[in-house]
Amino acid sequence: MGTLFKNGTLVTASDMLRADVLVEGEIVTLIGLDLPADGHTVVDCTGKYLLPGGIDVHTHLDLPFGGTFSNDDFDVGHKAAAFGGTTAHIDFVIQPKGGSLHDGLATWRKKAAPAQIDYAFHMAVTDLRQDVLEEIPSLAAEGITSLKLFMAYKNVFQVDDKTLFRAMQVAAEHGMIVMVHAENGDVENTLTPALLAAGKTEPKYHAASRPPEIEGEATNRAVVMAGLANCPLYVVHMTCDESIEALRRGRALGYPVMGETCVQYFFLTVEEHMAQPDFHGSKYVCSPPIRTKHDQQVLWRAVKDGTLQVISTDHCDFWFEGGKGPWQEWSKAHNGGDWVEYEAQDPSYRRPGKELGLGNFSKIPNGLPAIEDRMMMVWDGGVNSGILTPSRFVELNCTNPAKIFGMYPKKGTIAVGSDADIVVWDPNAKHTFSAKTHHMRTDYNLFEGHTATGKPVMVYQRGNKLVDGDQWFGKNGNGQFIKRSTHAPVL
Ligand code: URP
Ligand code: ZN
Ligand code: ZN
């Protein structure tokens, strides 16, 4: 027998209506009014919304970065995601220097072995040699239909313009989409040493080394190139007026260009957060940096008016107080990895984290914890304030991510035939964010002490219950790889 979600209000990107939803096996089989119980397990959803599972298309689980690895992996990170109403995500495979795309993919497939929610991969290309160009069509056939290129992180991930343009041409030829981290890495790489030489070493100077102009400039460059290559482009983690304007211009010219912002950029500012004393500002160091109240208003307008299509997280979390225990010895002995095992030896042991950048902002690992908090914070800041309708919320957090990245209608909506990824959302329930209670493996929460109204009370993945209140029902290995299609729509 199936599971019948009764008496709830179904919210999709287009509608909000009273409906019962029947799930049999892993899919939705019937939607209707007053469906009979017929021996099914009934979930009473009176006063609740039924939302499609959230999709976070920008995550970095277990990422080697900034002299350490991000804390959350495909086990802990998945559990945290599901507690926040996210049932699928797309993580970035990184091509190793000198290696192939498939070398990177093999590494990420191993990382994903304990998966508890569904996942897919983008491919971050760091070295586009001829043999790598030739691998791209086989990637698409394996369901990895997006290429990511970094215009920042000089001498680490950054590629030059010729590489970016060539990648766009090849992606367009194979029905794939190109994603860019748009910041001018050469300018940042010039500003950073000058700031450090002037004694400006605190976390807030990370923002000064990456001003909004370099995001706007790089966004414009990528947008124009995508227009010339006629390649679908998706600009990740957009933060400011300058880049939104560049995207808006490209869209007005009819270029196939889209963009996302991430939850943190709506709520955090340099002044209030990065400038906090005693190195607390490091908790908020990410690239591009958090900006100003003005930019927050620009972002809310852009998600409302359709200039931006998606809200994601760029989840990439590190300890604030990391580097505890004999981590240097462990790192040497284990070639820099195995941090979960290291931390399991003693509850006080921690891999290195933000403290790596004490006295030098450029050495602070870049990234923030957000995978658990996205849906609740965006609902609270966007829907409760009247900026977004519940349907637009679903579109930005569930449906558009699935459409743009070739997963729709299997994912991203509640419809007959779709995967039964369902969130029972209580619009009146309150949630107070805290590192003491969250499920992410970090010692701080970006929104510590803030109380949001509206939260997931039950979460289902392909018909299986993952979350019920505070209880966890997921199992390692139950998360499945999502094979994505090519030629996805440009929205
Ligand atoms: O600070 C960030 N964003 N860290 C993760 C890597 C990236 O640039 O997306
Ligand atoms: Zn990035
Ligand atoms: Zn990222």
Side-chain angles (χ1 to χ4, degrees), residues 28 51 84 99 103 116 161 173 175 206 217 226 253 311 317 337 351 355 361 367 380 408 451:
V28 174
L51 311 180
D103 290 338
Q116 314 227 30
D161 289 349
E173 198 182 320
H206 171 84
E217 184 280 322
L253 289 166
I311 301 172
D317 59 347
R351 72 190 73 185
E355 79 294 337
F361 71 80
D380 194 50
Y408 186 83
T451 298

Side-chain angles (χ1 to χ4, degrees), residues 58 60 65 148 150 152-153 180-183 236-237 287-288 314:
H58 189 159
H60 302 281
F65 195 42
K148 158 88 171 284
F150 290 91
Y153 302 128
V180 284
H181 172 135
E183 286 184 294
V236 300
H237 50 40
S287 296
D314 195 10

